[in-house]
Amino acid sequence: MEPANPPHKNYKFKISKMDCAACAATITDTVKRIEGVIDAKLNFINETLYVETQKDKPASEDIIKMIEFAGFEADLIDSGKTTLGLIINSDTEDAGGNSKNIKFKIEGMHCTNCAKAIEKDVGRLNGVNSIIVNFVGESGSVSYDPSKTSKEEIFKAVVESGYTPIDEAIEDEKNENDIKNLTNDTAAGTKKLKKHVKIPDWKKDLYWLIFTLIIAIPVVILTYINIFGIFRIPALFIMATIVQFTAGLMFYKGAYYSLKSFSSNMDVLVSLGISAAYFYSAASVFLFKGELYFDTSVLLILFIRTGKLLEKISKQRAASSLKSLFKLQANKANLIAADGTFKEIDTSDVKPGDILLVKKGDKIPVDGVITYGQTQIDESMLTGEPVPAEKGVGGEVSGATINKGQAVKIKALRVGGDTVLSQIVRLVEDAQADKAPIQRIADEVTNYFVPAVVIISLLTFTVWKFILHSNFLFALSASIAVLVIACPCAMGLATPMALMVGSSIGLEKGILIKKSSSLEEIARINAVVFDKTGTITYGKPEVADIISLNGLPEREILKIAAYAESFSSHPIAAAIVDKFNSLTDNDTSPSENNAAPNMPAPENFEEIGGFGIKLNYEGKKVNIGKKEIFKDVKGVSFDMSKFNEFEEKFAIEGKTVVGISVDSNIAGIISLSDRVKETAKPAVSKLKSIGISVYLLTGDNRNSAVSAAAQAGIDEKNVIANVLPQDKLDEIKKLKNTGLKVAMVGDGINDAPAIAAADVGIAIGSGTDVARETGDVILVKNDINDVYKSVSLGRKTLFKVKQNLFWAFFFNGLGIPLAAGVFYGLTGFLIPPAFAGAAMAVSSITVSLNSILLRGYSKTMDKI
């Protein structure tokens, strides 16, 4: 009978000056030595330190001093009473007032290096603690100190990087007023952003593609067929120039801002390629007589724009599941005024405390509690449960669920960004913005990719022209082909695209993945540890037997036990109280709140976590709980062999035994049974079939644990029983120390320390608890078969990531040598620049489409 977890304080720090993973180990070891620190975790990849401390000490300043003493630097990002490592960013200020977080859309990025350029420029601002730019999601998330910088300064830095920030929370006049500070040129800045109030889509890119295609067709025809006579060359020049500095302008602008930020991206390569083709051709027109490559520059722009358009459509397709959540929300609500009249208002105008009328068939507009009426609510979009839930006065309802019964009145509790649906969306957005460990491979390569390609291009020209003595046009053609066939985008998209699709599939199946890195980690686990109560079992024990050992009537034994247990929140306590209430003539309904028999408050009440309860009852000392509760109590003299006999007997049946002693005598025994879920055995069997060891971790006695394990198909040797709540964390660490990659599955509350200690924490719980759940993965449907589905989805996604990386490296590894003419001596073939540009577009499209093919696994998941 575990007490509630004591309140703890949690901090999140941004760490700098780390060179390797060993630095991370040094920092965590240093911090853990500080008095009052409970635990510390450091993510080396995103340079973030999570520290859990006692409520009153140490202060964040003390932690920073110790980190600096160890030779590193630290800045406080966030603090609050959240679970270790799971402080969720939102557009709010943190508990300590030291940090604020904003999220916004970004338009104009062409590759992952664009995202890095924004991160670099915004990261330079004084007061910015951290920034993550999600290229696939076209969004940014910034944590900053509002006393040192502001949202306007952050947006200004984004604009000066060459991209367009879009604050979706800003509308109409407020949008215009906030935009005015974004650039030194106020008018230009306002004009630039006013037209982007709405989320950008692919239609504008389609218009540019059609425009380019219309001009490209006559350019290609005129290049090979002279139908204009002496006007052929001027016509080619005019049409190519129009395309070069309209449709092609985006590449020049991207290259300018990239180089301005001392970085390089795909735009640099494309700009060099199209410039070489265009300006050489222009020189051939005005300065000397030579070959014309106007068709090459135009076709390059056409093919690359085609690739970018298909890539954008693919990204939006990958994010379709998240966008579909917004469509679930109700647009209107029926507000009941003080005089009893009804008024239809926008859901966005609902405030906490408002009374709303929800008619039959309507969607619940916001999270609230029923104040009048009885109905059935379809919560399938949250829980996956097809049968509508019965709800009455006092019952909580969630926004976007559907009222299938009678009209009810509800009081609004959580609105806007605080609703369950908004929290789910925020969790998935955070997950898709997170960078998985495997992504560092692509990130490291792309850091040096563009400069390396430029060098290879120059070497190609030099070798062909000056060493192999080829003609100038041949060397130039090979050099341009190298520039435009290289594709950093394919490598940058390989990981985030697959992870976005994977997390979206999980969302559809009621599997919420809080971090993309968790989707990768869960693919690598080889051991799953299940908590027993509420996870393997239903978590609602029922009284099965009441045994009197000294002549005290069974009803009196139950009455004493119910009185004591009514002051506890443990599931066993609730079962005993419910049993008493069900036998009471004047109250035959089970109690949700452990309503006590009609007696005064207890004296000397003490609840001992994991063991039971001690208290005084009518002047007598009463002990209730496991046999350990009786060992150290003076004056208790009874034969424990009787207790042990019943305990062993009931354990074989999978029952838990609770003893009741009154003064120096044991009065009786109550046995309770908690049924093992029907889905437990199939789920365990499936996990074993893919090579995962399954363990059961519980505070129950071993006999009871072994019985439950046997019913679930878990091997007896993998049962870890008699473990106190505070010791579950140590058991997880022991398993990890044996080399296992461990996932801990629990209810997310009592098992929080163990879930946090595991490589992957999986919380099973109601969708309405999503924001409070501990864990990297949340199984909303409360179905442990989803553990297997989570692992399968993780493995499938990781496989898709590796496939994408293979294709990305394959295209570049083979394409660049081909374009450079390395195999020209064997094949006699040199890739024309226009074909090289098309090949570059194909590489990005291949990676994007390959990621989308993962969506086909969604149907497979329904069958497993």
Side-chain angles (χ1 to χ4, degrees):
M1 299 180 185
E2 303 162 10
N5 292 330
H8 294 156
K9 186 80 172 175
N10 294 274
Y11 296 101
K12 184 163 73 169
F13 300 91
K14 185 70 174 178
I15 306 298
S16 54
K17 294 191 175 181
M18 290 191 297
D19 299 318
C20 61
C23 298
T26 300
I27 293 171
T28 52
D29 289 344
T30 301
V31 172
K32 285 180 179 179
R33 293 192 186 102
I34 302 174
E35 183 181 358
V37 169
I38 298 170
D39 198 6
K41 289 182 178 180
L42 201 157
N43 186 325
F44 174 65
I45 303 301
N46 62 19
E47 299 179 324
T48 305
L49 172 68
Y50 303 95
V51 182
E52 182 178 8
T53 71
Q54 295 177 6
K55 184 179 180 181
D56 54 346
K57 61 180 180 181
S60 59
E61 294 80 5
D62 298 329
I63 298 173
I64 291 175
K65 286 180 182 177
M66 287 300 294
I67 295 172
E68 291 175 344
F69 179 77
F72 306 93
E73 291 183 359
D75 292 300
L76 180 66
I77 298 176
D78 215 337
S79 64
K81 293 181 180 178
T82 53
T83 304
L84 182 63
L86 294 173
I87 299 172
I88 302 174
N89 288 339
S90 61
D91 299 343
T92 57
E93 194 166 338
D94 79 328
N98 298 315
S99 179
K100 196 170 184 179
N101 304 283
I102 58 169
K103 291 180 181 177
F104 50 93
K105 286 286 182 179
I106 301 174
E107 189 180 48
M109 295 188 292
H110 304 137
C111 67
T112 51
N113 282 22
C114 299
K116 290 180 184 177
I118 297 172
E119 289 179 339
K120 183 184 294 185
D121 287 349
V122 175
R124 289 195 186 106
L125 294 177
N126 181 34
V128 170
N129 300 317
S130 66
I131 173 172
I132 296 177
V133 175
N134 182 359
F135 167 61
V136 175
E138 297 181 330
S139 63
S141 177
V142 181
S143 173
Y144 66 98
D145 185 343
S147 66
K148 297 179 180 178
T149 190
S150 64
K151 178 173 65 178
E152 288 74 19
E153 288 297 316
I154 292 169
F155 281 13
K156 180 179 178 182
V158 175
V159 170
E160 292 179 347
S161 296
Y163 307 94
T164 305
I166 304 168
D167 190 344
E168 296 176 271
I170 298 177
E171 297 176 358
D172 305 327
E173 287 184 22
K174 187 174 184 298
N175 185 61
E176 294 186 28
N177 293 333
D178 284 7
I179 285 170
K180 287 180 181 178
N181 297 320
L182 298 183
T183 62
N184 293 326
D185 185 351
T186 303
T190 304
K191 183 178 179 182
K192 178 177 182 181
L193 287 175
K194 278 173 66 178
K195 62 182 180 181
H196 294 302
V197 174
K198 294 184 179 179
I199 299 175
D201 55 30
W202 49 266
K203 290 184 179 179
K204 188 171 67 173
D205 296 272
L206 177 61
Y207 299 149
W208 275 113
L209 179 62
I210 294 173
F211 170 79
T212 307
L213 178 62
I214 291 172
I215 298 179
I217 292 173
V219 167
V220 173
I221 293 173
L222 278 178
T223 299
Y224 298 100
I225 304 174
N226 186 2
I227 57 176
F228 280 8
I230 61 173
F231 298 106
R232 169 180 172 266
I233 292 178
L236 281 172
F237 172 73
I238 292 171
M239 288 188 289
T241 301
I242 292 173
V243 172
Q244 189 80 9
F245 298 107
T246 55
L249 187 62
M250 60 177 283
F251 301 115
Y252 286 113
K253 290 171 65 178
Y256 166 74
Y257 284 111
S258 176
L259 295 173
K260 180 184 174 185
S261 301
F262 300 100
S263 60
S264 52
N265 61 9
M266 182 207 75
D267 293 326
V268 173
L269 298 179
V270 174
S271 297
L272 288 172
I274 62 176
S275 294
Y278 172 80
F279 287 111
Y280 175 80
S281 301
S284 297
V285 172
F286 297 105
L287 301 179
F288 56 82
K289 188 175 181 180
E291 292 288 333
L292 299 180
Y293 278 86
F294 286 128
D295 63 318
T296 297
S297 65
V298 171
L299 288 176
L300 278 174
I301 293 170
L302 175 67
F303 289 146
I304 294 171
R305 270 199 168 274
T306 301
K308 289 286 113 184
L309 172 62
L310 294 176
E311 181 185 302
K312 179 167 284 190
I313 293 173
S314 298
K315 288 192 292 183
Q316 293 192 0
R317 177 78 179 90
S320 60
S321 295
L322 186 58
K323 290 181 180 179
S324 66
L325 278 182
F326 290 104
K327 298 178 182 178
L328 297 174
Q329 299 178 101
N331 296 321
K332 300 290 183 178
N334 294 313
L335 176 67
I336 301 177
D339 59 2
T341 59
F342 301 97
K343 179 184 178 182
E344 187 177 74
I345 62 173
D346 291 336
T347 301
S348 58
D349 294 330
V350 176
K351 300 178 179 60
D354 284 349
I355 303 298
L356 309 172
L357 175 69
V358 183
K359 301 174 184 177
K360 180 178 180 179
D362 285 354
K363 288 182 179 179
I364 307 292
V366 297
D367 293 359
V369 60
I370 295 177
T371 59
Y372 174 83
Q374 186 86 17
T375 189
Q376 298 82 41
I377 303 295
D378 179 358
E379 298 179 325
S380 57
M381 55 79 63
L382 281 179
T383 65
E385 177 58 52
V387 180
E390 291 286 342
K391 299 281 185 176
V393 175
E396 288 201 13
V397 292
S398 299
T401 56
I402 302 172
N403 181 15
K404 291 288 189 179
Q406 304 303 311
V408 292
K409 294 179 182 178
I410 68 168
K411 179 180 180 181
L413 296 179
R414 294 177 294 274
V415 302
D418 294 328
T419 64
V420 170
L421 183 62
S422 295
Q423 291 164 4
I424 291 175
V425 170
R426 188 158 62 241
L427 285 175
V428 178
E429 286 178 337
D430 289 342
Q432 293 177 347
D434 181 48
K435 292 186 178 180
I438 197 171
Q439 192 170 342
R440 65 178 179 267
I441 301 172
D443 287 346
E444 283 298 314
V445 173
T446 54
N447 282 337
Y448 306 101
F449 185 78
V450 174
V453 169
V454 173
I455 292 172
I456 293 172
S457 176
L458 292 173
L459 286 174
T460 298
F461 180 84
T462 302
V463 170
W464 280 114
K465 182 69 178 76
F466 299 107
I467 298 179
L468 299 179
H469 305 293
S470 297
N471 65 60
F472 177 82
L473 292 178
F474 185 95
L476 179 64
S477 179
S479 178
I480 294 173
V482 168
L483 288 172
V484 297
I485 202 170
C487 187
C489 291
M491 291 184 288
L493 286 170
T495 300
M497 274 290 283
L499 292 176
M500 173 176 276
V501 175
S503 60
S504 296
I505 292 173
L507 175 65
E508 293 172 2
K509 306 305 176 186
I511 301 169
L512 293 183
I513 298 157
K514 283 191 170 181
K515 298 182 293 182
S516 289
S517 51
S518 301
L519 195 57
E520 178 184 340
E521 286 297 322
I522 200 170
R524 304 183 190 279
I525 65 166
N526 50 26
V528 172
V529 180
F530 285 102
D531 174 51
K532 175 177 169 285
T533 304
T535 304
I536 287 293
T537 67
Y538 282 99
K540 293 182 178 179
E542 300 173 349
V543 173
D545 306 279
I546 303 173
I547 309 295
S548 175
L549 298 180
N550 69 348
L552 196 65
E554 292 179 3
R555 189 179 181 86
E556 186 65 20
I557 293 172
L558 182 61
K559 179 180 177 181
I560 295 172
Y563 168 70
E565 298 286 15
S566 64
F567 301 99
S568 171
S569 60
H570 196 277
I572 287 179
I576 292 175
V577 173
D578 284 348
K579 180 66 174 179
F580 175 82
N581 287 338
S582 68
L583 297 177
T584 303
D585 293 336
N586 61 357
D587 185 3
T588 58
S589 61
S591 167
E592 289 187 11
N593 301 316
N594 296 12
N598 187 20
M599 294 181 181
E603 297 178 3
N604 300 322
F605 179 87
E606 181 182 5
E607 185 168 6
I608 303 172
F611 293 131
I613 292 172
K614 299 178 180 179
L615 76 160
N616 286 353
Y617 169 74
E618 295 184 346
K620 300 174 182 178
K621 293 181 178 179
V622 175
N623 298 281
I624 302 174
K626 296 181 180 179
K627 60 184 176 183
E628 288 84 358
I629 199 76
F630 309 113
K631 289 183 177 178
D632 301 324
V633 180
K634 295 180 180 179
V636 176
S637 56
F638 54 83
D639 187 1
M640 287 299 294
S641 62
K642 202 70 174 174
F643 185 100
N644 294 335
E645 178 184 333
F646 278 104
E647 184 180 51
E648 291 176 8
K649 173 182 179 295
F650 289 131
I652 296 173
E653 302 171 10
K655 297 175 181 177
T656 298
V657 175
V658 173
I660 301 99
S661 71
V662 179
D663 283 339
S664 60
N665 297 304
I666 185 163
I669 290 174
I670 296 176
S671 75
L672 302 98
S673 61
D674 185 6
R675 288 190 301 122
V676 172
K677 294 178 180 177
E678 289 80 2
T679 56
K681 193 166 187 176
V684 170
S685 177
K686 290 175 183 176
L687 288 170
K688 287 182 176 180
S689 70
I690 56 175
I692 293 179
S693 300
V694 182
Y695 294 79
L696 183 67
L697 179 63
T698 179
D700 282 357
N701 65 76
R702 184 164 184 81
N703 288 333
S704 178
V706 168
S707 175
Q711 295 177 61
I714 300 174
D715 299 335
E716 184 176 346
K717 62 183 179 65
N718 289 350
V719 175
I720 307 170
N722 293 308
V723 181
L724 295 175
Q726 60 268 30
D727 295 330
K728 288 184 178 180
L729 181 148
D730 295 329
E731 294 297 333
I732 295 296
K733 288 182 177 178
K734 288 177 185 177
L735 290 175
K736 289 174 65 175
N737 290 337
T738 64
L740 293 173
K741 283 281 187 180
V742 180
M744 173 67 194
V745 187
D747 63 12
I749 301 170
N750 293 330
D751 303 310
I755 288 176
D759 294 295
V760 178
I762 302 177
I764 293 184
S766 165
T768 56
D769 294 329
V770 66
R772 299 192 297 273
E773 290 282 11
T774 306
D776 307 304
V777 179
I778 301 171
L779 307 182
V780 176
K781 296 180 182 179
N782 203 11
D783 184 355
I784 62 172
N785 188 53
D786 285 346
V787 176
Y788 170 74
K789 290 184 178 181
S790 301
V791 176
S792 299
L793 177 61
R795 291 185 176 184
K796 196 72 175 180
T797 304
L798 183 60
F799 177 71
K800 190 62 69 174
V801 167
K802 291 178 178 178
Q803 269 188 345
N804 285 348
L805 288 172
F806 166 78
W807 285 116
F809 285 113
F810 174 80
F811 273 114
N812 285 288
L814 180 62
I816 292 175
L818 277 173
V822 172
F823 304 109
Y824 183 76
L826 296 175
T827 64
F829 175 74
L830 186 70
I831 298 177
F835 288 4
M840 186 270 273
V842 167
S843 63
S844 287
I845 295 168
T846 299
V847 167
S848 299
L849 293 179
N850 190 47
S851 297
I852 291 177
L853 288 176
L854 181 61
R855 293 204 60 82
Y857 189 64
S858 178
K859 294 182 180 178
T860 304
M861 287 185 67
D862 292 332
K863 301 174 184 177
I864 61 177

